[in-house]
């Protein structure tokens, strides 16, 4: 069991590091999506503008990065439960 706890601890640290990098990159993509959506609304392309806003929301810190943070928290919970045994 101690080996599994060590593996989960290393996995948690690595995923937290990776999440920080990916969140920064997705934030840049989100800005481009929202800018494209605003331009689409100005040009009268309502459907493309709404799609751009939805994709921008998925790339925002409340979209995909939040799912990643939830997965990391779940792995930490499993690791804590294993260490408590």
């Amino acid at each position: 069991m101690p080996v599994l706890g060590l593996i989960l601890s290393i996995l948690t640290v690595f995923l937290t590091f990776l999440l920080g990098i990916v969140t920064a990159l997705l934030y840049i993509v989100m800005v481009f999506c929202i800018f494209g959506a605003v331009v689409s609304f100005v040009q009268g392309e309502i459907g493309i503008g709404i799609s751009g806003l939805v994709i921008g929301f998925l790339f925002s810190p409340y979209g995909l990065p939040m799912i990643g943070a939830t997965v990391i928290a779940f792995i930490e919970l499993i690791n804590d439960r294993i260490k408590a045994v």
Side-chain angles (χ1 to χ4, degrees):
M1 285 294 182
V3 175
L4 184 60
L6 178 65
I7 291 171
L8 288 177
S9 295
I10 292 171
L11 181 66
T12 301
V13 169
F14 176 71
L15 289 177
T16 303
F17 170 73
L18 194 63
L19 182 67
I21 293 172
V22 169
T23 301
L25 294 175
L26 287 177
Y27 187 78
I28 293 169
V29 173
M30 177 204 66
V31 169
F32 284 126
C33 287
I34 291 176
F35 179 71
V38 169
V39 170
S40 295
F41 283 131
V42 169
Q43 291 181 349
E45 299 288 335
I46 303 300
I48 296 173
I50 292 173
S51 298
L53 287 177
V54 170
I55 292 171
F57 174 75
L58 285 176
F59 290 156
S60 74
Y62 298 109
L64 296 175
M66 188 61 69
I67 294 171
T70 304
V71 170
I72 291 172
F74 182 70
I75 292 172
E76 286 178 346
L77 177 68
I78 292 172
N79 192 15
D80 290 340
R81 299 287 172 117
I82 288 174
K83 287 180 181 179
V85 170

